[in-house]
Amino acid sequence: MADWIDACAATDIDEEDVIRFDHGKRTFVIIRDHEDNYYCTDGLCTHEEIHLADGLVVENTIECPKHASIFNAETGEVDTPPACENLHTYPTKVEGGRVFVEI
Amino acid sequence: MTAIVIIGAGECGVRAAFALREQGFDGNVTLIGAETPLPYERPPLSKYLTAAAKPIRPEDAYAEKAIDLRLGTRVSRLDPASRSVALDDGETLTYDKLLLATGARARLFAGMEGCLTLRSDRDAAAIHTRLKPGARIGIIGGGFIGLELAATARKAGAEVTVIEAGPRLLGRAVPEEIAAVVRDRHAVEGIRLLIGAGVTMADARKITLTDGQVLDFDMVIAGVGALPDTALAEAAGLAVDNGVVVDRDFRATDPHVFAAGDCCNFAWHDARVRLESWKAAQDQGAHVAASMLGRAEPYAKVPWFWSDQYDLTLQVAGLFDMALPVRSRETGDETRLVFQCNAAGHLAAAAGIGPGNTIAKDLRILEKLIERAAIVDPDVLADPSQNLKRQLKAA
Ligand SMILES: Cc1cc2nc3c(=O)[nH]c(=O)nc-3n(C[C@H](O)[C@H](O)[C@H](O)COP(=O)(O)OP(=O)(O)OC[C@H]3O[C@@H](n4cnc5c(N)ncnc54)[C@H](O)[C@@H]3O)c2cc1C
Ligand code: FES
């Protein structure tokens, strides 16, 4: 069963930025876009398993730091290759200044 | 129904084929590649001791997008007058639009014909099986491929010598400040670097230097650059000048023929350039697909390149003028970040190096500033206390 996990404070992530979030044996990223929406996706690029947390967020996209694949943070879809597999996304909610993710 | 034929199933040709479908083209797409394996990524070949090359796309993706992929097939002739290409299996195909994505091949200088080179998965297989502990490996050329291969060979336990004729490593690609980090690291790893050493003759086992020294090896590999594969274009009478000459839409000097990727020579800002860059091959593949469909916007992608050596990653955005000075952003002991502005005050190029992806985010911001032709204050960019992303928002 998926659970809502308290991942971080909403202010832990700058506007248009990303942090890495590890839970159990899995790694995720939590992304805050330019309009204060929060998204959670798999933490590793689908091209070569590189941590996306080192990548640049522009509006609601995240670019892989290694070879510049661009993913839509909201849908997980590849916007620009080389990656050809989408990222999994996970629901998020912000309550009481905390970001919760359902993973 | 219209037919688009793409010659060369490398990074650029594959990207163009899929981009045609993404952009809604429903005519015939034929993608012809001389190599036999499923189109694969070249960059890992010098970076890892790979057992099998990594495909660019899974096999079934081609059929799913109705891309007629013909591997192990070489185009032997292009006839723009009849809009047709002849294949080496005897077949002739006609086209409405043709894309030359023939890439480049490893160069060898006269007197070096017996050396190995690294461009294809087969080249890699021949080299990798001989990277054994203690094997004496001679590498001619201190460019990216030679240095990546040096690192890979060293990791496999080989004794590696790199011979560079120029005054420093990576002379054409990155500023001295970055090349020095690369040089120091290779020295620490135990690579023997002979810099400023010319080669008069070499074969698969032996290198003769201009000073007369003869060095013996178990394997000699030359990484002295690549030449664009322009044979078809030349024979067809298209303009060729260090690559197939294309206009801003990546159209060659025939209105139905386009060229992109490593084989083309295009205009970027005020310069004519030919790149050997994986990302550029993809960007141009997507761009030329739009061009062939008559919908291209001006090409604005900044030349971008990366290289991995040991745990270091190096990235370059834009094109440096090696005759002009660069500025540094003081990013800490382990990383280096340098940039250059042009006479108009625009950020023109940036390069960084560091362990893993430490410099990636900063470099990507600088790349975007280059793309926007932002006027920047070099003192601000040089100051590590200044947030780079804020500069981007202001640009
Ligand atoms: C070992 C190695 C490491 C690299 N590392 C990096 C890196 O770290 N970063 C980076 O940015 N770039 C790197 N590159 C460069 C990058 O791989 C190239 O820029 C890229 O592959 C260019 O793509 P392309 O499609 O234009 O050409 P290619 O990939 O060369 O593909 C062209 C294809 O066309 C085929 N062809 C040619 N003529 C014909 C014909 N007449 N008929 C049918 N087929 C034909 C060729 O066989 C080839 O398969 C590296 C290259 C090599 C070799
Ligand atoms: S690892 Fe992310 S694009 Fe290659």
Side-chain angles (χ1 to χ4, degrees):
Chain A
M1 245 334 262
D3 284 318
W4 283 103
I5 314 282
D6 181 345
C8 62
T11 51
D12 285 347
I13 316 176
D14 288 340
E15 191 185 310
E16 272 193 307
D17 210 349
V18 54
I19 61 164
R20 173 172 164 177
F21 174 61
D22 290 344
H23 184 71
K25 288 198 172 100
R26 300 163 71 195
T27 185
F28 304 88
V29 283
I30 302 174
I31 294 163
R32 174 174 166 188
D33 76 3
H34 58 308
E35 288 167 340
D36 289 341
N37 300 304
Y38 289 80
Y39 307 108
C40 178
T41 75
D42 286 338
L44 299 178
C45 181
T46 59
H47 180 238
E48 271 185 22
E49 306 210 322
I50 292 293
H51 281 283
L52 290 169
D54 292 322
L56 183 70
V57 175
V58 175
E59 298 186 347
N60 69 345
T61 64
I62 179 149
E63 189 172 28
C64 174
K66 189 83 210 179
H67 314 119
S69 282
I70 299 175
F71 298 92
N72 181 309
E74 188 174 355
T75 63
E77 279 169 21
V78 176
D79 177 276
T80 306
C84 33
E85 252 179 79
N86 297 338
L87 294 169
H88 290 287
T89 58
Y90 306 88
T92 62
K93 64 181 180 190
V94 181
E95 274 174 18
R98 306 289 306 175
V99 181
F100 293 84
V101 296
E102 190 181 29
I103 49 185
Chain B
M1 205 199 272
T2 40
I4 294 180
V5 171
I6 301 171
I7 308 178
E11 210 56 62
C12 179
V14 169
R15 185 75 199 97
F18 283 90
L20 283 169
R21 293 298 186 224
E22 286 157 20
Q23 293 168 28
F25 178 69
D26 60 4
N28 289 331
V29 176
T30 310
L31 177 59
I32 306 166
E35 295 180 79
T36 41
L38 196 62
Y40 59 90
E41 299 184 345
R42 294 184 203 284
L45 302 178
S46 47
K47 297 172 180 69
Y48 316 112
L49 284 173
T50 39
K54 179 176 160 77
I56 297 171
R57 298 268 179 160
E59 187 161 15
D60 49 8
Y62 295 87
E64 208 175 284
K65 298 289 175 195
I67 293 164
D68 182 7
L69 178 63
R70 311 230 189 148
L71 296 173
T73 307
R74 180 168 279 281
V75 174
S76 50
R77 202 168 58 85
L78 156 62
D79 180 23
S82 64
R83 279 196 230 157
S84 67
V85 293
L87 311 185
D88 60 0
D89 61 10
E91 199 182 338
T92 299
L93 298 175
T94 56
Y95 61 81
D96 296 292
K97 296 281 187 305
L98 179 81
L99 173 61
L100 292 165
T102 49
R105 57 178 71 185
R107 166 160 71 178
L108 280 175
F109 292 117
M112 290 187 185
E113 289 83 356
C115 300
L116 283 82
T117 55
L118 177 53
R119 181 81 194 176
S120 69
D121 66 330
R122 281 201 212 174
D123 299 337
I127 292 170
H128 291 175
T129 51
R130 289 154 75 184
L131 297 180
K132 298 256 161 63
R136 296 164 307 157
I137 307 298
I139 296 176
I140 305 174
F144 285 115
I145 291 188
L147 292 172
E148 289 185 353
L149 194 57
T152 303
R154 193 72 193 124
K155 268 184 272 172
E159 299 297 325
V160 184
T161 305
V162 174
I163 300 169
E164 165 58 46
R168 66 173 175 90
L169 301 177
L170 299 172
R172 284 175 307 157
V174 295
E176 178 127 37
E177 289 79 351
I178 302 284
V181 176
V182 174
R183 179 202 58 213
D184 292 351
R185 181 59 183 271
H186 280 284
V188 165
E189 297 284 347
I191 304 278
R192 182 175 166 213
L193 295 167
L194 304 179
I195 295 173
V199 170
T200 48
M201 240 171 33
D203 61 26
R205 302 296 295 267
K206 198 183 285 188
I207 299 177
T208 308
L209 301 180
T210 37
D211 68 4
Q213 253 193 95
V214 180
L215 308 173
D216 290 309
F217 295 100
D218 298 311
M219 173 164 65
V220 174
I221 304 134
V224 293
L227 292 173
D229 213 325
T230 55
L232 288 174
E234 273 170 78
L238 301 171
V240 170
D241 180 7
N242 180 31
V244 181
V245 175
V246 294
D247 68 10
R248 291 193 179 266
D249 292 330
F250 289 84
R251 193 187 297 258
T253 47
D254 176 280
H256 303 282
V257 179
F258 296 74
D262 280 16
C263 75
C264 85
N265 186 297
F266 68 105
W268 196 70
H269 293 186
D270 298 329
R272 299 281 325 172
V273 294
R274 190 179 72 77
L275 301 176
E276 284 164 16
S277 150
W278 196 60
K279 184 77 167 76
Q282 293 169 20
D283 289 343
Q284 293 176 10
H287 186 89
V288 77
S291 284
M292 290 191 288
L293 302 178
R295 323 184 175 132
E297 316 215 317
Y299 184 74
K301 293 279 196 254
V302 174
W304 179 82
F305 188 92
W306 93 97
S307 172
D308 300 324
Q309 295 166 43
Y310 311 103
D311 67 331
L312 293 176
T313 291
L314 179 167
Q315 296 192 9
V316 196
L319 300 173
F320 280 95
D321 182 340
M322 296 303 169
L324 297 179
V326 300
R327 293 284 305 264
S328 291
R329 180 175 167 91
E330 294 311 323
T331 44
D333 287 348
E334 283 204 298
T335 62
R336 281 277 182 294
L337 200 69
V338 299
F339 60 92
Q340 191 172 64
C341 296
N342 63 18
H346 300 142
L347 184 63
I353 189 165
N357 294 308
T358 39
I359 51 94
K361 209 183 270 189
D362 281 353
L363 206 90
R364 197 72 80 240
I365 294 172
L366 295 172
E367 179 192 335
K368 289 192 184 300
L369 288 169
I370 298 170
E371 184 172 330
R372 294 179 194 177
I375 303 272
V376 294
D377 179 349
D379 292 335
V380 170
L381 293 193
D383 179 355
S385 70
Q386 295 275 352
N387 181 303
L388 281 181
K389 194 140 185 201
R390 210 163 294 138
Q391 301 302 310
L392 184 62
K393 294 217 155 147

